[in-house]
């Protein structure tokens, strides 16, 4: 029988809100200020919290290292690889610190999550803040698309436009970015929230609130990557639950509040589409993609089908693979400087950046999540989140992932300490 934990301190609640706000606003704060202040705050808060807990409990560092070892190893190897890259490119300490902020932020977020591992409500609050602040930005963009923008919405739209960044392609004006860099990163924030809301048990109202915000973000983003990653995560969750037949029905029963919230959001979205005559966005994109892929395969044009399915990334993957084949130990240089753009595939990009060592660290982290992370109050979270991350990494590279991984690694830290 587990002991009932004491009430979380104000520090723990503040850290949860910080993670939520950092997830939702990190990119925009960077574009405004020229520095990743939100991500730096997560790192500073995480390290400070770990030091404070270590002072109070001398056994804490050892327990932390055991429970979050794969996260620390993966981040450590990333820092090692980028140290070599920044040295070769001659960027000096400023460049090294900038490229290492992503791995440092993963660790900082995981430390904050681990500090909150005694409680179940705290990480749900972090997820709720992240998703609903993100959803607010997306709703402003949707209102503008429907011609309903008010004063606050105009401020958001003009602010976003002045900062530059992602520009929608023809026919994609409905896609929102919230406060993220682009629609894919934005959609993945909602995907992480959906996975957690479905995985954790108890707190039905708060879970439903998080799930509703998560679905809204995924839909507003119009991101096929986010939608398909959620689908893969759902399959992984059900597979993990089915392996434990004794508790399968209980776990499915805990999905009822989440399912109800998702149905309600879907009905509202359908009503808005019907009344306003707005495009259904994500559903249309998925349907069009599926149709084009099926037509290309029917005509025997495999290359065209692959290009459509990957949003024309297959060509850049071929160029990236040719580059790696020339340097099997890794190029240790930024791919953008060599092939003109991001590879948009984390597996291949890690091979190019740091060879099998860097890719192996990533696969090690994914394997740990899928196989070993089974917290007693969210037994399907590790497998579902691991598969979500693995699926998203097929079409996205490291340069796009840190903002959404603030929340992701916070929840990983919570789950790691909950095992």
């Amino acid at each position: 029988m587990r002991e009932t934990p004491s009430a979380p301190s104000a520090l723990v609640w503040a850290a949860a809100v910080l993670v939520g706000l950092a997830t939702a606003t990190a990119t925009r704060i960077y574009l405004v200020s020229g520095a990743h202040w939100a991500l730096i705050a997560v790192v500073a808060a995480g390290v400070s919290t770990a030091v404070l807990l270590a002072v109070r409990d001398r056994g804490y560092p050892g327990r932390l290292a055991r429970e979050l070892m794969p996260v620390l190893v993966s981040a450590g190897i990333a820092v090692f690889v980028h140290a070599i890259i920044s040295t070769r490119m001659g960027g000096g300490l400023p460049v090294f610190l900038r490229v290492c902020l992503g791995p440092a932020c993963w660790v900082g977020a995981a430390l904050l999550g681990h500090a909150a591992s005694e409680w179940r409500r705290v990480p749900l609050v972090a997820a709720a803040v992240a998703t609903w602040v993100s959803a607010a930005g997306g709703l402003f963009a949707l209102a503008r698309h429907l011609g309903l923008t008010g004063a606050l919405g105009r401020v958001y739209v003009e602010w976003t436009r002045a900062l530059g960044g992602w520009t929608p392609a023809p026919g994609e004006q409905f896609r929102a970015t919230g406060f993220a860099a682009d629609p894919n990163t934005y959609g993945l924030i909602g995907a992480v929230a959906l996975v957690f809301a479905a995985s954790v048990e108890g707190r039905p109202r708060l879970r439903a609130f998080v799930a509703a915000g998560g679905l809204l973000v995924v839909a507003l983003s119009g991101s096929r990557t986010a939608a398909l990653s959620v689908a893969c995560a759902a399959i992984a969750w059900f597979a993990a639950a089915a392996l434990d037949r004794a508790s399968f029905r209980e776990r499915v029963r805990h999905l009822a509040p989440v399912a109800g919230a998702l149905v309600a959001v879907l009905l509202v979205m359908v009503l808005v589409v019907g009344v306003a005559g707005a495009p259904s966005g994500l559903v249309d994109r998925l349907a069009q993609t599926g149709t084009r892929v099926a037509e290309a395969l029917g005509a025997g044009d495999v290359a065209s089908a692959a290009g459509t399915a990957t949003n024309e990334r297959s060509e850049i993957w071929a160029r990236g693979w040719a580059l790696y084949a020339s340097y099997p130990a890794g190029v240790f240089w930024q791919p953008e400087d060599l092939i003109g753009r991001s590879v948009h595939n984390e597996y291949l990009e890690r091979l190019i950046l740091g060879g099998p060592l860097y890719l192996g660290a990533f696969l090690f982290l994914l394997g740990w999540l899928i196989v070993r992370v089974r917290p007693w109050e969210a037994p399907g979270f590790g497998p579902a989140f691991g598969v979500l991350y693995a699926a998203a990494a097929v079409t996205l590279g490291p340069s796009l992932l840190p903002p959404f991984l603030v929340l992701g690694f916070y929840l990983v830290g919570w789950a790691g300490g909950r095992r």
Side-chain angles (χ1 to χ4, degrees):
M1 189 74 177
R2 295 180 69 96
E3 295 182 2
T4 302
S6 58
S9 67
L11 210 61
V12 173
W13 283 117
V17 174
L18 169 65
V19 166
L21 292 176
T23 301
T25 64
T27 302
R28 293 299 169 195
I29 290 176
Y30 166 69
L31 291 172
V32 171
S33 65
H36 284 288
W37 295 118
L39 302 186
I40 292 171
V42 170
V43 175
V47 173
S48 300
T49 301
V51 170
L52 177 63
L53 293 176
V55 170
R56 294 170 53 186
D57 178 6
R58 293 185 178 181
Y60 183 75
R63 187 167 69 255
L64 182 68
R66 288 193 304 273
E67 293 174 345
L68 296 185
M69 183 265 295
V71 175
L72 301 176
V73 168
S74 180
I77 291 176
V79 170
F80 171 72
V81 168
H82 285 289
I84 296 175
I85 293 173
S86 61
T87 300
R88 293 188 65 206
M89 295 181 68
L93 184 61
V95 172
F96 170 71
L97 293 176
R98 187 173 68 251
V99 298
C100 289
L101 182 57
C105 189
W106 307 342
V107 174
L111 293 177
L112 289 174
H114 191 271
S117 60
E118 290 186 44
W119 303 281
R120 177 173 39 187
R121 185 179 177 185
V122 175
L124 279 167
V125 168
V129 172
T131 52
W132 280 99
V133 172
S134 299
L139 288 171
F140 286 144
L142 176 63
R144 176 177 178 272
H145 184 62
L146 297 176
L148 304 174
T149 305
L152 190 58
R154 284 194 294 272
V155 170
Y156 166 78
V157 170
E158 292 303 321
W159 181 50
T160 301
R161 182 183 298 161
L163 295 176
W166 181 79
T167 303
E172 293 189 357
Q173 285 79 6
F174 68 90
R175 300 185 69 189
T177 60
F179 295 93
D182 61 82
N184 288 322
T185 306
Y186 174 60
L188 286 170
I189 294 171
V192 173
L194 273 172
V195 166
F196 185 62
S199 300
V200 74
E201 298 173 357
R203 301 286 178 185
R205 292 181 181 177
L206 188 51
R207 289 170 56 226
F209 184 65
V210 171
L215 178 61
L216 195 57
V217 168
V218 172
L220 290 170
S221 73
S223 172
R224 293 169 296 194
T225 295
L228 294 175
S229 296
V230 167
C232 292
I235 293 171
W237 186 93
F238 275 103
L243 290 175
D244 186 2
R245 296 184 179 180
S247 61
F248 178 73
R249 289 185 178 179
E250 183 68 14
R251 293 185 191 177
V252 172
R253 185 178 66 82
H254 279 281
L255 284 178
V258 170
L262 299 186
V263 169
V265 171
L266 287 173
L267 289 175
V268 171
M269 291 173 64
V270 169
L271 180 63
V272 169
V273 169
V275 172
S280 52
L282 176 57
V283 175
D284 285 348
R285 292 192 83 220
L286 289 170
Q288 291 168 8
T289 299
T291 300
R292 291 199 300 268
V293 169
E295 290 174 349
L297 289 175
D301 190 348
V302 177
S304 177
T308 299
T310 62
N311 200 22
E312 307 307 327
R313 287 178 169 89
S314 54
E315 180 181 348
I316 198 71
W317 293 348
R319 292 167 59 189
W321 180 255
L323 176 63
Y324 169 70
S326 301
Y327 301 90
V331 179
F332 291 92
W333 201 274
Q334 292 294 343
E336 290 89 341
D337 294 342
L338 300 173
I339 57 180
R341 56 172 292 182
S342 169
V343 178
H344 286 294
N345 181 301
E346 186 150 359
Y347 307 99
L348 181 54
E349 192 150 343
R350 283 177 179 258
L351 272 176
I352 295 171
L353 286 169
L357 174 67
Y358 200 14
L359 176 61
F362 181 54
L363 296 178
F364 174 55
L365 177 64
L366 291 179
W368 172 72
L369 285 168
I370 294 170
V371 176
R372 296 295 303 276
V373 179
R374 306 290 179 96
W376 67 282
E377 286 181 320
F381 173 73
F385 181 73
V387 169
L388 173 80
Y389 192 4
V394 173
T395 56
L396 298 178
S399 61
L400 298 179
L401 298 179
F404 104 86
L405 283 179
V406 176
L407 178 62
F409 272 92
Y410 176 83
L411 297 175
V412 166
W414 175 87
R418 201 70 168 165
R419 289 185 298 151

